[in-house]
Amino acid sequence: MNLNAAILGYGAYVPIYRIRTEEIARVWHGGGAGPNRMKAIASYDEDILTMSYESASQALSMANYPKIQAILVGSESKPYAVKPTGSILSDILGYNSTLGVDLEFACKAGTEAMQLISGMVSAGTIDYGLAIGADTAQGRPADELEFTAGSGAGAIVLGRPNGREVAKIKHSVSYVTDTPDFWRRPHDQYPMHLGRFTGEPAYFTHTTTSVKMLFSETGMKPSDFKYAIFHQPNPRFPVEVGKRLGFTDEQLRPALLNDDIGNTYSANTIIALAKVLDMADTGDMIMLASFGSGAGSDAFVIEVNSRDDDDGYVPFSERLRNYREVDYATYARWRGKILK
Amino acid sequence: MNVIPIAYWRNRKVYTRMIGTKCKDCGAEFFPPVRVCKKCGSRNLEEKEMPKNGSLLAYTKLSEPAQEFKEYAPIYLGLIRLDNGVNVISMIADADEEKLKAGARVQATVRKWTEDGKGGLVYYGYKFRVLQ
Amino acid sequence: MSRVFISSASALPVSEYWTKSLADLMTDVASKAIDAANGVKIDKIIVGNMMSGYANHQEHLGALLASSLGMRGVEAMKVEAACGSGGAAVHEGYLSVKSGEYENVLVVGVEKMKDMDTPKTTKALAMAESSDFTQAVGASFISLNALLMRLYMNSYNVEEELMDYFPVIAHKNAVTSPHAQYRKAVTVEDVKRSQVIADPIRLLSSAPSGDGAAAVVLSAKEGPVEILSSEIATNDLIVAQREEPLRFLATEFAFKRAMQKSGINVQDIDFMEVHDAFPVVASLALEAMGISKRGKAPQDAADGRFNMGSELPILTFGGLKARGHPVGATGAYQIAEAFMQLAGTAGQNQVKGAKLGLTHNVGGVDTTAVIHVLRRVE
């Protein structure tokens, strides 16, 4: 779909705490490590509401607090099964005359929020909206997902292009099928998955299909883009899928984050977008493709305009350098893995 | 139930946005909100959002908190002077004792205060963290 | 208006009374006091208590005690002012007799805390401060005092060790105190080595919880001790909202009025029962009453100014720290102790020649201060 939407502000939040995958492997496998070096973990007093608040505060500050009419929160780790995160967040942010909605689609709920609000502002049904992807993803102890399932939140303030926008969202497509690579039933704490089935039939098929759809609808090709952002369930997949589609290391590398923070699920591609927007220049084109198990992929064409930094703005990559490592016991306590 | 849900709901703007009061007659600011000005006795007050930045005056590490905070022990509490001169007592987020010095600059964020058991409500509110 | 005398006093050892109920404790101590007052006819009962509703699921303590004592028909009620409940109950009894409406008033302070576990006790104590704005943010009662202690130490450049002399004095006096919970001396080293509860407050620098009850019979008829003044004052409920957190304004107000109304000189006071819930509370109270200069009370304590046999003995039966702090009963214990000192029945804890005594009982962090000045009737 053609879009006439603009990113007016963005924010990315990753908790200050990390656990090394070596530490997880020490406990469950007697040594070794996961595919990534570390993952970010939320403290005991953080959840997707608090992390959404953090990232939204950054995005709203950058956008100069416009009158938000829709707040969409994408997550698979909501504090309530029934009770919207969107309304809690609306209240805390001081926007009550707004739509407040929660979305879920494994790792792509955040880009769904982005696509939906982009559509609403393009159609003129609202002037400004806030799209958020946030998760405190959990892997079952000893499961391979435990190495990568991390915590984080990304937020985008969207409106129509006004000449002072950070970037324009020009086009978006989605592709979904019923592919059961990963799921969680309502009362289960941890998800189930089919191991390597999440690779070719799920991640690679859906991502390459959506990106090819995007190319075909827009007539664009990999060399038209300065940056390419793919969902990062581990350090290897985004590079692999990018190469298959014809992107180069130079286009792919700036977005990579998995080695440092793991897979932040619904926040994954939005946080990566924030990292790329921090370094992008006017006129740069960005291709972004998310992936959500179950399965589907949203792809976007984004054109960078400019960004007026506040005096106090600290780029995401710099904030990422400040972290504290915790051991498995602390992680297990904080993330509710100890039976009480 | 260790928290009264309706009382929390009533106070949620105080808890999450730090809405206090300002005296329309003498200008004094208060947090939490007051109904009668403690400076001049006026009942003519308006809502006022507090600044989110301040300085740490003192802190304590509490090993035995009340039951609704027991599972989070130890918790750190700070006496903070906001930039408008108003004092507030708050839990400290991401506390690192090395950095909890009198005079340290702190900033408010929103964190989880407590959960009322497995099926109860989740309560959110301000906590301050030390700025890097 | 009548003058107000204390006919008798009694105090149960502060302890853990596993086999006794709240009503049992009140009834036992009240019976002793009434017997000691030669079985006078009681016109009114006032019970001082802070947390019976939360701790024991029991309110209506006035009627509970009257009924338990078999005093059908007598007026009875409960008075609450957090940890100052006992003192406030004595104050109400004082006013009742002083008004001339009542001849003999029984005042009982009681608290039964040990039916609760520690987190529940912490919650109960926190109820002295704002539920909406202090308990909600995780601040327990002890943590408020810890913040105050840290502020005190920073502001006056006082070492933690110097603050530890208050528990040392309390415990020393408690060794021979028949109703004390901890009859054991401690050293500054012991305090320093004890477990931190809310940094910088340690196990041995905080008053313990306990079960206890104390009773006095107040009378318009001359008795061994006279209450010269009974004053209550309040300070901001929320400690964070005080402009000068290191000033105990409630204590200042109550003390000033108590001095004016009793017409005595501070120098003539022979001993003081100070509300030593924590060393910083004792320090700020002594400073508010002008006994010590600001920031100097811990040094005065270390110098021995408050020891038995010196210029102004304090905590003569162990204070809150060692006699024990059954919160709502504490103020009544202090009055019972002052009675014993002034009636000359303090045994090994006797302050020689005591003629004038002062009790200082606090609810919250100097949120309510209750001060009584008592004299020996010659």
Side-chain angles (χ1 to χ4, degrees):
Chain A
M1 65 190 86
N2 271 312
L3 293 168
N4 181 32
I7 296 174
L8 305 178
Y10 61 89
Y13 176 81
V14 172
I16 199 167
Y17 301 101
R18 303 284 183 279
I19 184 164
R20 285 183 176 272
T21 58
E22 274 170 27
E23 170 70 0
I24 298 169
R26 178 185 69 81
V27 172
W28 291 116
H29 308 286
N36 49 321
R37 200 164 50 97
M38 299 186 292
K39 69 169 183 174
I41 58 169
S43 181
Y44 65 87
D45 61 356
E46 295 186 285
D47 64 10
I48 67 133
L49 186 279
T50 67
M51 296 193 305
S52 295
Y53 169 80
E54 297 266 12
S55 62
S57 299
Q58 297 166 22
L60 288 165
S61 163
M62 191 185 288
N64 224 350
Y65 302 96
K67 196 171 164 294
I68 299 290
Q69 293 159 292
I71 298 181
L72 270 54
V73 183
S75 180
E76 62 133 71
S77 35
K78 305 194 317 159
Y80 295 93
V82 178
K83 189 176 183 304
T85 315
S87 66
I88 306 174
L89 190 62
S90 305
D91 217 48
I92 296 179
L93 294 172
Y95 292 107
N96 293 107
S97 302
T98 180
L99 195 62
V101 176
D102 291 11
L103 304 167
E104 183 279 315
F105 197 137
C107 295
K108 88 167 181 78
T111 54
E112 286 178 326
M114 214 166 108
Q115 197 190 65
L116 286 167
I117 291 182
S118 296
M120 291 165 85
V121 296
S122 296
T125 59
I126 61 167
D127 293 325
Y128 302 101
L130 175 62
I132 292 174
D135 263 308
T136 53
Q138 301 246 39
R140 188 184 303 278
D143 187 282
E144 61 205 88
L145 274 182
E146 198 185 10
F147 288 124
T148 51
S151 303
I156 307 272
V157 172
L158 294 154
R160 278 182 292 281
N162 58 11
R164 296 186 314 279
E165 72 275 6
V166 175
K168 290 186 187 70
I169 299 185
K170 308 191 73 150
H171 204 93
S172 180
V173 299
S174 286
Y175 175 71
V176 297
T177 71
D178 177 4
T179 302
D181 60 319
F182 168 106
W183 67 93
R184 180 164 64 83
R185 298 292 302 275
H187 297 289
D188 291 341
Q189 188 178 1
Y190 298 111
M192 309 268 285
H193 61 90
L194 298 179
R196 288 179 54 79
F197 183 70
T198 201
E200 289 303 333
Y203 180 85
F204 289 100
T205 300
H206 292 81
T207 308
T208 52
T209 304
S210 75
V211 174
K212 283 174 184 165
M213 280 168 63
L214 189 75
F215 288 167
S216 127
E217 288 189 16
T218 60
M220 296 181 80
K221 52 188 185 306
S223 59
D224 294 331
F225 296 94
K226 175 82 181 285
Y227 302 101
I229 301 168
F230 290 97
H231 176 60
Q232 307 171 35
N234 55 45
R236 189 174 63 82
F237 277 20
V239 178
E240 170 75 25
V241 81
K243 293 282 175 65
R244 285 192 199 178
L245 285 161
F247 290 98
T248 63
D249 270 339
E250 289 65 37
Q251 290 166 296
L252 294 166
R253 207 181 303 113
L256 298 182
L257 278 163
N258 187 285
D259 205 34
D260 293 324
I261 64 172
N263 178 4
T264 55
Y265 284 51
S266 300
N268 190 305
T269 39
I270 300 186
I271 292 180
L273 176 61
K275 183 176 181 236
V276 168
L277 286 172
D278 271 354
M279 63 182 88
D281 290 321
T282 308
D284 287 350
M285 300 299 291
I286 300 170
M287 198 295 301
L288 181 150
S290 65
F291 168 74
S293 288
S297 172
D298 306 326
F300 297 82
V301 174
I302 297 164
E303 182 183 350
V304 177
N305 181 24
S306 66
R307 180 167 51 82
D308 292 326
D309 283 351
D310 285 347
D311 291 343
Y313 186 77
V314 184
F316 177 69
S317 302
E318 242 171 81
R319 280 181 273 143
L320 218 50
R321 269 184 231 128
N322 174 33
Y323 64 85
R324 294 181 216 157
E325 286 181 31
V326 299
D327 60 12
Y328 194 88
T330 304
Y331 155 75
R333 179 185 169 186
W334 286 357
R335 297 324 305 163
K337 292 173 191 298
I338 298 175
L339 287 176
K340 284 177 290 195
Chain B
M1 249 179 226
N2 292 317
V3 181
I4 302 167
I6 295 165
Y8 176 87
W9 172 82
R10 199 159 43 230
N11 290 315
R12 67 196 188 282
K13 286 187 176 161
V14 181
Y15 295 158
T16 57
R17 292 169 58 200
M18 296 185 67
I19 305 290
T21 42
K22 180 178 179 176
C23 177
K24 284 171 147 175
D25 290 326
C26 78
E29 295 185 15
F30 300 95
F31 187 81
V34 299
R35 311 215 15 164
V36 178
C37 177
K38 286 176 177 294
K39 274 247 168 68
C40 73
S42 166
R43 292 178 202 155
N44 194 14
L45 294 116
E46 59 188 355
E47 284 192 350
K48 177 82 200 289
E49 188 165 346
M50 293 292 115
K52 302 297 186 294
N53 290 288
S55 302
L56 186 68
L57 298 179
Y59 84 95
T60 182
K61 175 184 173 183
L62 179 59
S63 309
E64 291 180 7
Q67 49 196 2
E68 63 267 35
F69 300 96
K70 187 171 189 272
E71 68 174 293
Y72 312 121
I75 62 173
Y76 290 81
L77 289 155
L79 175 62
I80 288 146
R81 177 154 298 164
L82 301 177
D83 285 349
N84 61 350
V86 170
N87 286 353
V88 54
I89 289 174
S90 166
M91 281 187 269
I92 297 170
D94 299 334
D96 172 0
E97 280 186 73
E98 295 278 295
K99 291 183 177 144
L100 294 180
K101 306 275 184 238
R105 293 293 295 165
V106 294
Q107 186 176 52
T109 182
V110 171
R111 289 287 174 99
K112 194 156 65 179
W113 277 355
T114 184
E115 289 175 26
D116 214 347
K118 213 169 152 55
L121 286 170
V122 184
Y123 298 98
Y124 299 98
Y126 58 85
K127 285 192 186 182
F128 282 73
R129 63 174 159 223
V130 176
L131 289 172
Q132 299 303 322
Chain C
M1 280 192 291
S2 302
R3 287 164 69 185
V4 183
F5 297 92
I6 305 179
S7 311
S8 67
S10 67
L12 301 183
V14 179
S15 185
E16 295 172 314
Y17 288 102
W18 304 119
T19 62
K20 290 197 178 191
S21 70
L22 186 73
D24 293 340
L25 296 179
M26 288 196 289
T27 310
D28 285 359
V29 81
S31 302
K32 282 186 194 167
I34 293 166
D35 290 350
N38 299 317
V40 291
K41 184 180 162 292
I42 300 297
D43 309 315
K44 179 174 182 173
I45 295 173
I46 301 172
V47 177
N49 171 273
M50 175 182 179
M51 54 180 66
S52 67
Y54 187 70
N56 318 108
H57 298 184
Q58 179 69 60
E59 291 292 7
H60 215 171
L61 300 194
L64 178 68
L65 177 57
S67 173
S68 181
L69 286 169
M71 293 186 184
R72 186 182 296 146
V74 74
E75 177 179 335
M77 67 190 69
K78 165 173 163 171
V79 168
E80 190 276 322
C83 323
S85 299
V90 174
H91 174 77
E92 292 304 313
Y94 167 87
L95 294 180
S96 299
V97 173
K98 193 171 180 177
S99 71
E101 289 282 319
Y102 306 86
E103 178 83 7
N104 296 300
V105 175
L106 169 69
V107 180
V108 175
V110 67
E111 205 72 75
K112 183 146 183 60
M113 307 170 77
K114 289 298 184 179
D115 287 0
M116 294 183 289
D117 62 11
T118 303
K120 195 172 175 190
T121 306
T122 304
K123 179 76 183 167
L125 291 168
M127 291 182 187
E129 246 257 26
S130 169
S131 166
D132 281 356
F133 304 118
T134 304
Q135 292 171 44
V137 303
S140 65
F141 187 63
I142 190 168
S143 61
L144 296 175
N145 286 281
L147 290 170
L148 214 57
M149 178 166 169
R150 182 78 75 188
L151 201 61
Y152 184 93
M153 288 161 60
N154 290 348
S155 302
Y156 297 124
N157 203 15
V158 173
E159 295 293 321
E160 186 187 332
E161 201 176 289
L162 215 50
M163 312 285 291
D164 295 341
Y165 281 90
F166 286 101
V168 170
I169 294 169
H171 276 270
K172 189 170 181 218
N173 297 343
V175 172
T176 49
S177 167
H179 57 272
Q181 189 175 11
Y182 294 103
R183 300 178 61 175
K184 179 172 170 284
V186 302
T187 63
V188 168
E189 276 305 306
D190 293 334
V191 180
K192 230 170 112 179
R193 275 201 306 267
S194 66
Q195 182 201 334
V196 175
I197 300 189
D199 184 21
I201 293 178
R202 294 168 184 277
L203 185 68
L204 284 181
S205 50
S206 57
S209 63
D211 301 338
V216 290
V217 174
L218 305 182
S219 181
K221 226 174 86 193
E222 187 169 291
V225 174
E226 181 178 6
I227 300 180
L228 293 182
S229 59
S230 171
E231 290 297 323
I232 297 185
T234 55
N235 193 350
D236 289 311
L237 184 84
I238 296 175
V239 173
Q241 283 189 332
R242 295 178 188 172
E243 282 164 46
E244 296 175 89
L246 293 180
R247 266 185 80 181
F248 270 14
L249 285 176
T251 298
E252 283 183 27
F253 285 127
F255 180 74
K256 199 172 160 194
R257 288 182 215 151
M259 288 299 104
Q260 279 167 358
K261 291 198 187 169
S262 57
I264 62 155
N265 291 318
V266 183
Q267 297 86 335
D268 296 333
I269 296 171
D270 297 305
F271 68 93
M272 273 191 186
E273 295 305 330
V274 181
H275 193 94
D276 62 324
F278 305 99
V280 70
V281 176
S283 301
L284 290 172
L286 288 163
E287 291 166 17
M289 294 188 281
I291 307 298
S292 290
K293 292 201 174 72
R294 294 203 183 279
K296 294 294 176 204
Q299 186 62 55
D300 288 344
D303 291 345
R305 260 189 81 192
F306 307 129
N307 292 348
M308 289 297 260
S310 71
E311 171 197 345
L312 182 66
I314 63 170
L315 320 174
T316 66
F317 285 89
L320 278 66
K321 176 64 201 78
R323 171 240 295 132
H325 182 34
V327 287
T330 289
Y333 271 91
Q334 292 177 325
I335 299 291
E337 289 163 350
F339 176 86
M340 290 186 257
Q341 290 293 359
L342 296 167
T345 58
Q348 291 184 76
N349 290 57
Q350 185 66 51
V351 174
K352 303 268 177 319
K355 286 183 180 137
L356 273 177
L358 181 144
T359 64
H360 166 258
N361 181 207
V362 155
V365 184
D366 184 61
T367 312
T368 294
V370 190
I371 288 184
H372 284 92
V373 176
L374 308 98
R375 91 174 168 98
R376 182 170 79 198
V377 175
E378 302 289 350

